[in-house]
Amino acid sequence: MDDLTRREFFRRTAFGILPALALPRLVYASFPSTSTDIEVETAFGKLLGSRTEGVNIFKGVPYAGSVSGERRFLTPAPLKPWTGVRKVKRLGHPSIQAPNQTYGINEPDPAEDCLTLNIWTPANDNKKRPVMVYSHGGGYTHGSAGSVAQDGANLARMYDVVVVATNHRLGLLGYLYLDEIAGDEYAGSGNRGVQDIAIALKWVNENISAFGGDPNNVMIFGESGGGLKTSCLYAMPEAAPYFHKASIESGPGVMMKTADVAAETTELLLKQLGIARNDWRKLLKLPPSVLLDAQEQLQKMGDLSQIAGFHGIGAAGKGGFGPVVDGVVLPTHPFDPVAPSLSKEKPLLVGWNEDEFIFFAMFSGDTEAFQLTEEKLHQRIESILGDKARLVVDTYREAYPKATPTQLFIAIRSILIMGLGSITIAERKTQQEGAPAYLYNFGYKSDLKVPGTDYEFGSMHAMDIPFKFHNIDNVLDKTGHRSSGMAGNRPERFAASNNMCQLWTSFARKSIPSAKGQPAWPPYNLSTRPLMRIDTQCSVIYDRYKTVLKMWREILN
């Protein structure tokens, strides 16, 4: 392949991220259990959920009104109170998206009106439990709150927390920037997707006491696209009053899209649809399927660049849809040039999985990546970094002398797409001298093999999801037997999951992550740079990436 410019490297690095952030399609199944009805009173009316295996579950709970028809691209209509008892035992509609990108059991089809949430709680007993509000992955275009891997029942039951997950607008329905052509009513339209989550947080603040949760102790967290959304929420004035700590997982959103790039994307969309600028209101009448098709065409033909490396992966470029630094909903980049002042006193977890890139190579069908020769390694790194490739490979070879060419390739690509941005966030949060930041690597290795190879999943992208929700033993394999899905079959996976769940729920409870029998996790600092490696036995590693980080700063800054 030809030598690429730095801009083209960023474009190609990100191109593989946008369509691939959803979880792989696994064969999930529910298992028989006895359930009883459970009723709760909210500010809007009574809800009827179910109590199953020691957890009260409420699915498809509305947190805002319509976002379709004349409300498209606007803030949601107010949620209207109802009379009687509203049954909430089925997942809500995911946002409009391409087929087969959600992973819930008996999940309805995507729909434009999608603003619902799911709640898992040990009891509706007015006890003040920590509340953990999760934003799903899938970039800004795919996914839902219903994925089995992120089901909150086990986390609520085993660790005495309240878990909430939201559906919110995705793609151009959530992120089409109309501020410059549609008037004041549409100010902030480029951030409706993350604004929906902020509105859900307000609902949580006003109602979660009835579910045994503490509205004054709310943690927001999310993986991949959910990490990017969490990065934005951390910097949003509208969200600030309603959460108290955060975790950004394999989705370091240091920077987001600028308004000028967002405006160019809007012009491209109008051109794609044959709509004149002053006729933009025609967008309100088009079927969602037409808009979705136009969105996908733009993603194929447009500049899908994201700013990678030290700037994270959040800034979807021209032709893509994602949050916009608009000065309204999102006043600044989340972590550039500094961490947001409005969250200075809110503790933060941030990190990534050791082998992130295995996921992206696997789902792009790149089996060659798992059997590289030294020559092929050099060719691939040269194709993305040009004349810097030899320095990069030599530095990594010195740092990891026993690694195979494939292992070096995965290490290089993984830190580029997730690691450098995560470290930058930890550094800039620490430089504020406010609440602490905690940096981590998820390191447990799944023994499942990449199809068509003898290479294991390792700690690939999305591998942490079932571990932090303790959902590592809840799927059926192709023969109909109960299996662990991505987590693999090693019995020690349960210990790794318990460690991660303890670290996350203790952070939610008291803002200090800890796990029984594991080392104390020091806050990040700019001297010793401690990092917690999460596995069956966790370990604190100081300045883990010292050698390679110095090199990356020299060639990317």
Side-chain angles (χ1 to χ4, degrees), residues 193-241:
V194 286
Q195 193 174 31
D196 290 343
I197 305 173
I199 292 169
L201 288 171
K202 184 175 186 291
W203 186 98
V204 167
N205 176 266
E206 295 171 349
N207 293 277
I208 207 64
S209 292
F211 296 85
D214 183 356
N216 296 312
N217 190 15
V218 175
M219 171 181 170
I220 57 173
F221 68 129
E223 184 271 350
S224 194
L228 299 174
K229 297 164 194 170
T230 302
S231 299
C232 291
L233 294 167
Y234 203 73
M236 284 172 53
E238 188 171 348

Short mmCIF file of all heavy atoms in Angstrom, two decimals, residues 193-241:
data_model
loop_
_atom_site.label_atom_id
_atom_site.label_comp_id
_atom_site.label_asym_id
_atom_site.label_seq_id
_atom_site.Cartn_x
_atom_site.Cartn_y
_atom_site.Cartn_z
N GLY A 193 -28.57 13.37 20.56
CA GLY A 193 -28.35 12.03 21.10
C GLY A 193 -27.82 12.05 22.51
O GLY A 193 -28.32 11.35 23.40
N VAL A 194 -26.78 12.86 22.77
CA VAL A 194 -26.24 12.94 24.13
C VAL A 194 -27.14 13.80 25.01
O VAL A 194 -27.21 13.59 26.23
CB VAL A 194 -24.79 13.47 24.15
CG1 VAL A 194 -23.83 12.40 23.67
CG2 VAL A 194 -24.64 14.75 23.32
N GLN A 195 -27.85 14.73 24.42
CA GLN A 195 -28.80 15.53 25.20
C GLN A 195 -29.93 14.64 25.72
O GLN A 195 -30.40 14.83 26.85
CB GLN A 195 -29.36 16.66 24.34
CG GLN A 195 -30.11 17.72 25.12
CD GLN A 195 -30.52 18.89 24.25
OE1 GLN A 195 -30.78 18.73 23.05
NE2 GLN A 195 -30.57 20.07 24.83
N ASP A 196 -30.34 13.65 24.93
CA ASP A 196 -31.35 12.69 25.40
C ASP A 196 -30.87 12.01 26.68
O ASP A 196 -31.65 11.82 27.63
CB ASP A 196 -31.62 11.62 24.34
CG ASP A 196 -32.36 12.15 23.11
OD1 ASP A 196 -32.94 13.25 23.20
OD2 ASP A 196 -32.34 11.45 22.08
N ILE A 197 -29.60 11.62 26.71
CA ILE A 197 -29.06 10.95 27.90
C ILE A 197 -29.08 11.89 29.10
O ILE A 197 -29.39 11.48 30.22
CB ILE A 197 -27.64 10.41 27.64
CG1 ILE A 197 -27.61 9.50 26.41
CG2 ILE A 197 -27.13 9.65 28.87
CD1 ILE A 197 -26.22 9.09 25.99
N ALA A 198 -28.78 13.16 28.87
CA ALA A 198 -28.84 14.15 29.95
C ALA A 198 -30.26 14.27 30.48
O ALA A 198 -30.47 14.40 31.70
CB ALA A 198 -28.33 15.50 29.46
N ILE A 199 -31.24 14.20 29.59
CA ILE A 199 -32.65 14.26 30.02
C ILE A 199 -33.01 13.01 30.81
O ILE A 199 -33.74 13.07 31.81
CB ILE A 199 -33.56 14.43 28.79
CG1 ILE A 199 -33.32 15.82 28.17
CG2 ILE A 199 -35.03 14.25 29.16
CD1 ILE A 199 -33.97 16.01 26.81
N ALA A 200 -32.47 11.87 30.39
CA ALA A 200 -32.68 10.63 31.15
C ALA A 200 -32.06 10.75 32.55
O ALA A 200 -32.64 10.27 33.54
CB ALA A 200 -32.08 9.44 30.41
N LEU A 201 -30.90 11.38 32.65
CA LEU A 201 -30.27 11.58 33.96
C LEU A 201 -31.14 12.46 34.86
O LEU A 201 -31.22 12.25 36.07
CB LEU A 201 -28.89 12.20 33.79
CG LEU A 201 -27.81 11.29 33.22
CD1 LEU A 201 -26.55 12.10 32.88
CD2 LEU A 201 -27.47 10.17 34.18
N LYS A 202 -31.80 13.43 34.27
CA LYS A 202 -32.73 14.27 35.05
C LYS A 202 -33.90 13.42 35.55
O LYS A 202 -34.33 13.56 36.71
CB LYS A 202 -33.24 15.43 34.19
CG LYS A 202 -34.12 16.43 34.93
CD LYS A 202 -34.47 17.60 34.01
CE LYS A 202 -35.23 18.69 34.78
NZ LYS A 202 -36.60 18.26 35.17
N TRP A 203 -34.42 12.52 34.70
CA TRP A 203 -35.50 11.62 35.12
C TRP A 203 -35.01 10.75 36.28
O TRP A 203 -35.74 10.55 37.27
CB TRP A 203 -35.94 10.75 33.95
CG TRP A 203 -37.14 9.90 34.24
CD1 TRP A 203 -38.43 10.16 33.90
CD2 TRP A 203 -37.16 8.63 34.93
NE1 TRP A 203 -39.26 9.16 34.34
CE2 TRP A 203 -38.51 8.21 34.98
CE3 TRP A 203 -36.19 7.83 35.51
CZ2 TRP A 203 -38.90 7.00 35.58
CZ3 TRP A 203 -36.57 6.64 36.12
CH2 TRP A 203 -37.90 6.23 36.16
N VAL A 204 -33.80 10.24 36.17
CA VAL A 204 -33.23 9.43 37.23
C VAL A 204 -33.16 10.23 38.53
O VAL A 204 -33.53 9.76 39.61
CB VAL A 204 -31.84 8.90 36.83
CG1 VAL A 204 -31.09 8.32 38.03
CG2 VAL A 204 -31.97 7.85 35.73
N ASN A 205 -32.69 11.45 38.43
CA ASN A 205 -32.58 12.30 39.61
C ASN A 205 -33.93 12.47 40.31
O ASN A 205 -34.01 12.48 41.54
CB ASN A 205 -32.02 13.66 39.20
CG ASN A 205 -31.96 14.65 40.35
OD1 ASN A 205 -32.88 15.44 40.54
ND2 ASN A 205 -30.89 14.59 41.11
N GLU A 206 -34.99 12.58 39.54
CA GLU A 206 -36.31 12.88 40.10
C GLU A 206 -37.07 11.63 40.54
O GLU A 206 -38.02 11.75 41.32
CB GLU A 206 -37.13 13.65 39.07
CG GLU A 206 -36.56 15.03 38.75
CD GLU A 206 -37.25 15.71 37.58
OE1 GLU A 206 -38.04 15.03 36.88
OE2 GLU A 206 -37.00 16.90 37.36
N ASN A 207 -36.67 10.45 40.04
CA ASN A 207 -37.49 9.26 40.26
C ASN A 207 -36.78 8.06 40.88
O ASN A 207 -37.43 7.12 41.34
CB ASN A 207 -38.11 8.81 38.94
CG ASN A 207 -39.12 9.79 38.40
OD1 ASN A 207 -40.28 9.79 38.80
ND2 ASN A 207 -38.67 10.66 37.50
N ILE A 208 -35.45 8.06 40.90
CA ILE A 208 -34.74 6.83 41.25
C ILE A 208 -34.87 6.47 42.72
O ILE A 208 -34.67 5.30 43.11
CB ILE A 208 -33.25 6.92 40.84
CG1 ILE A 208 -32.69 5.51 40.56
CG2 ILE A 208 -32.44 7.66 41.88
CD1 ILE A 208 -33.33 4.82 39.38
N SER A 209 -35.24 7.41 43.57
CA SER A 209 -35.46 7.09 44.99
C SER A 209 -36.52 6.01 45.15
O SER A 209 -36.42 5.15 46.04
CB SER A 209 -35.86 8.34 45.77
OG SER A 209 -34.81 9.26 45.84
N ALA A 210 -37.53 6.03 44.28
CA ALA A 210 -38.59 5.04 44.35
C ALA A 210 -38.11 3.64 43.97
O ALA A 210 -38.80 2.65 44.22
CB ALA A 210 -39.76 5.45 43.44
N PHE A 211 -36.92 3.57 43.38
CA PHE A 211 -36.34 2.29 42.96
C PHE A 211 -35.19 1.86 43.88
O PHE A 211 -34.40 0.99 43.54
CB PHE A 211 -35.84 2.40 41.53
CG PHE A 211 -36.93 2.65 40.52
CD1 PHE A 211 -37.37 3.95 40.27
CD2 PHE A 211 -37.54 1.61 39.83
CE1 PHE A 211 -38.38 4.21 39.35
CE2 PHE A 211 -38.55 1.85 38.92
CZ PHE A 211 -38.97 3.15 38.68
N GLY A 212 -35.10 2.50 45.04
CA GLY A 212 -34.04 2.15 45.98
C GLY A 212 -32.69 2.74 45.65
O GLY A 212 -31.66 2.28 46.15
N GLY A 213 -32.67 3.78 44.81
CA GLY A 213 -31.42 4.42 44.42
C GLY A 213 -31.24 5.78 45.05
O GLY A 213 -32.21 6.44 45.44
N ASP A 214 -29.99 6.22 45.13
CA ASP A 214 -29.65 7.51 45.72
C ASP A 214 -29.42 8.53 44.60
O ASP A 214 -28.42 8.44 43.88
CB ASP A 214 -28.39 7.36 46.56
CG ASP A 214 -28.00 8.65 47.28
OD1 ASP A 214 -28.66 9.68 47.06
OD2 ASP A 214 -27.01 8.61 48.05
N PRO A 215 -30.31 9.50 44.43
CA PRO A 215 -30.12 10.50 43.37
C PRO A 215 -28.90 11.38 43.57
O PRO A 215 -28.46 12.06 42.64
CB PRO A 215 -31.41 11.32 43.43
CG PRO A 215 -31.89 11.16 44.83
CD PRO A 215 -31.50 9.76 45.24
N ASN A 216 -28.32 11.33 44.77
CA ASN A 216 -27.13 12.12 45.06
C ASN A 216 -25.85 11.31 44.96
O ASN A 216 -24.79 11.75 45.40
CB ASN A 216 -27.25 12.74 46.46
CG ASN A 216 -28.39 13.72 46.55
OD1 ASN A 216 -28.53 14.59 45.68
ND2 ASN A 216 -29.23 13.58 47.57
N ASN A 217 -25.96 10.11 44.36
CA ASN A 217 -24.78 9.28 44.15
C ASN A 217 -24.96 8.50 42.85
O ASN A 217 -25.24 7.30 42.86
CB ASN A 217 -24.55 8.34 45.32
CG ASN A 217 -23.20 7.64 45.25
OD1 ASN A 217 -22.31 8.03 44.49
ND2 ASN A 217 -23.03 6.59 46.04
N VAL A 218 -24.79 9.20 41.74
CA VAL A 218 -25.02 8.64 40.41
C VAL A 218 -23.71 8.59 39.63
O VAL A 218 -23.00 9.60 39.51
CB VAL A 218 -26.05 9.47 39.62
CG1 VAL A 218 -26.20 8.95 38.20
CG2 VAL A 218 -27.40 9.44 40.34
N MET A 219 -23.40 7.43 39.12
CA MET A 219 -22.23 7.23 38.27
C MET A 219 -22.69 7.03 36.83
O MET A 219 -23.62 6.27 36.57
CB MET A 219 -21.45 6.00 38.74
CG MET A 219 -20.32 5.56 37.81
SD MET A 219 -19.52 4.07 38.47
CE MET A 219 -18.48 3.58 37.08
N ILE A 220 -22.06 7.71 35.89
CA ILE A 220 -22.30 7.45 34.47
C ILE A 220 -21.12 6.66 33.93
O ILE A 220 -19.98 6.89 34.31
CB ILE A 220 -22.52 8.75 33.66
CG1 ILE A 220 -21.33 9.71 33.80
CG2 ILE A 220 -23.81 9.43 34.08
CD1 ILE A 220 -21.40 10.93 32.89
N PHE A 221 -21.41 5.69 33.07
CA PHE A 221 -20.34 4.90 32.49
C PHE A 221 -20.77 4.36 31.15
O PHE A 221 -21.95 4.34 30.80
CB PHE A 221 -19.86 3.79 33.44
CG PHE A 221 -20.82 2.66 33.73
CD1 PHE A 221 -20.41 1.34 33.59
CD2 PHE A 221 -22.12 2.89 34.19
CE1 PHE A 221 -21.26 0.28 33.89
CE2 PHE A 221 -22.97 1.84 34.50
CZ PHE A 221 -22.54 0.53 34.34
N GLY A 222 -19.79 3.95 30.35
CA GLY A 222 -20.10 3.42 29.03
C GLY A 222 -18.84 2.96 28.33
O GLY A 222 -17.74 3.45 28.59
N GLU A 223 -19.03 1.99 27.44
CA GLU A 223 -17.91 1.38 26.70
C GLU A 223 -18.01 1.73 25.23
O GLU A 223 -19.11 1.79 24.67
CB GLU A 223 -17.96 -0.14 26.92
CG GLU A 223 -16.80 -0.90 26.29
CD GLU A 223 -17.07 -1.33 24.84
OE1 GLU A 223 -18.23 -1.20 24.38
OE2 GLU A 223 -16.12 -1.77 24.17
N SER A 224 -16.86 1.95 24.59
CA SER A 224 -16.78 2.22 23.16
C SER A 224 -17.57 3.48 22.83
O SER A 224 -17.26 4.55 23.35
CB SER A 224 -17.30 1.00 22.39
OG SER A 224 -16.96 1.06 21.04
N GLY A 225 -18.61 3.38 21.99
CA GLY A 225 -19.43 4.56 21.74
C GLY A 225 -20.03 5.12 23.01
O GLY A 225 -20.24 6.32 23.15
N GLY A 226 -20.31 4.23 23.99
CA GLY A 226 -20.80 4.70 25.28
C GLY A 226 -19.75 5.47 26.05
O GLY A 226 -20.07 6.37 26.83
N GLY A 227 -18.48 5.11 25.86
CA GLY A 227 -17.40 5.89 26.45
C GLY A 227 -17.30 7.28 25.84
O GLY A 227 -17.05 8.27 26.54
N LEU A 228 -17.49 7.34 24.52
CA LEU A 228 -17.48 8.64 23.84
C LEU A 228 -18.62 9.52 24.35
O LEU A 228 -18.45 10.71 24.60
CB LEU A 228 -17.61 8.43 22.34
CG LEU A 228 -16.50 7.62 21.65
CD1 LEU A 228 -16.83 7.39 20.18
CD2 LEU A 228 -15.16 8.32 21.78
N LYS A 229 -19.80 8.92 24.49
CA LYS A 229 -20.95 9.68 25.00
C LYS A 229 -20.70 10.14 26.44
O LYS A 229 -21.04 11.27 26.81
CB LYS A 229 -22.22 8.83 24.91
CG LYS A 229 -22.61 8.45 23.49
CD LYS A 229 -23.63 7.31 23.47
CE LYS A 229 -23.77 6.71 22.09
NZ LYS A 229 -24.57 5.45 22.09
N THR A 230 -20.09 9.25 27.24
CA THR A 230 -19.77 9.63 28.62
C THR A 230 -18.77 10.78 28.64
O THR A 230 -18.86 11.68 29.49
CB THR A 230 -19.22 8.41 29.38
OG1 THR A 230 -20.19 7.36 29.35
CG2 THR A 230 -18.92 8.76 30.83
N SER A 231 -17.80 10.76 27.72
CA SER A 231 -16.85 11.87 27.62
C SER A 231 -17.60 13.19 27.41
O SER A 231 -17.26 14.21 28.02
CB SER A 231 -15.88 11.64 26.46
OG SER A 231 -15.11 10.47 26.64
N CYS A 232 -18.62 13.16 26.54
CA CYS A 232 -19.40 14.37 26.27
C CYS A 232 -20.21 14.79 27.49
O CYS A 232 -20.22 15.97 27.87
CB CYS A 232 -20.34 14.15 25.09
SG CYS A 232 -19.50 13.97 23.51
N LEU A 233 -20.90 13.83 28.12
CA LEU A 233 -21.70 14.15 29.29
C LEU A 233 -20.86 14.79 30.39
O LEU A 233 -21.33 15.67 31.12
CB LEU A 233 -22.37 12.87 29.83
CG LEU A 233 -23.42 12.23 28.92
CD1 LEU A 233 -23.75 10.84 29.41
CD2 LEU A 233 -24.67 13.10 28.85
N TYR A 234 -19.61 14.36 30.49
CA TYR A 234 -18.70 14.89 31.50
C TYR A 234 -18.44 16.39 31.30
O TYR A 234 -18.04 17.08 32.24
CB TYR A 234 -17.39 14.11 31.43
CG TYR A 234 -16.55 14.13 32.68
CD1 TYR A 234 -16.93 13.40 33.81
CD2 TYR A 234 -15.37 14.84 32.74
CE1 TYR A 234 -16.15 13.40 34.96
CE2 TYR A 234 -14.58 14.85 33.88
CZ TYR A 234 -14.98 14.12 34.99
OH TYR A 234 -14.21 14.12 36.13
N ALA A 235 -18.68 16.86 30.07
CA ALA A 235 -18.41 18.26 29.74
C ALA A 235 -19.68 19.06 29.46
O ALA A 235 -19.59 20.22 29.02
CB ALA A 235 -17.49 18.34 28.52
N MET A 236 -20.88 18.48 29.70
CA MET A 236 -22.13 19.12 29.34
C MET A 236 -22.81 19.77 30.54
O MET A 236 -23.15 19.08 31.51
CB MET A 236 -23.09 18.09 28.71
CG MET A 236 -22.73 17.72 27.30
SD MET A 236 -23.74 16.34 26.67
CE MET A 236 -25.42 16.93 26.99
N PRO A 237 -23.05 21.08 30.49
CA PRO A 237 -23.75 21.74 31.59
C PRO A 237 -25.12 21.14 31.89
O PRO A 237 -25.53 21.08 33.05
CB PRO A 237 -23.89 23.19 31.09
CG PRO A 237 -22.76 23.36 30.13
CD PRO A 237 -22.59 22.03 29.45
N GLU A 238 -25.83 20.67 30.86
CA GLU A 238 -27.16 20.12 31.07
C GLU A 238 -27.12 18.82 31.88
O GLU A 238 -28.06 18.52 32.61
CB GLU A 238 -27.82 19.86 29.71
CG GLU A 238 -29.28 19.47 29.81
CD GLU A 238 -29.96 19.45 28.46
OE1 GLU A 238 -29.39 19.95 27.48
OE2 GLU A 238 -31.09 18.91 28.39
N ALA A 239 -26.03 18.06 31.76
CA ALA A 239 -25.91 16.80 32.48
C ALA A 239 -25.31 16.99 33.87
O ALA A 239 -25.54 16.17 34.78
CB ALA A 239 -25.06 15.81 31.68
N ALA A 240 -24.52 18.03 34.04
CA ALA A 240 -23.69 18.21 35.24
C ALA A 240 -24.42 18.06 36.57
O ALA A 240 -23.88 17.46 37.51
CB ALA A 240 -22.97 19.56 35.17
N PRO A 241 -25.64 18.57 36.73
CA PRO A 241 -26.27 18.48 38.06
C PRO A 241 -26.70 17.07 38.44
O PRO A 241 -27.05 16.83 39.60
CB PRO A 241 -27.52 19.38 37.91
CG PRO A 241 -27.28 20.22 36.71
CD PRO A 241 -26.45 19.38 35.80
#
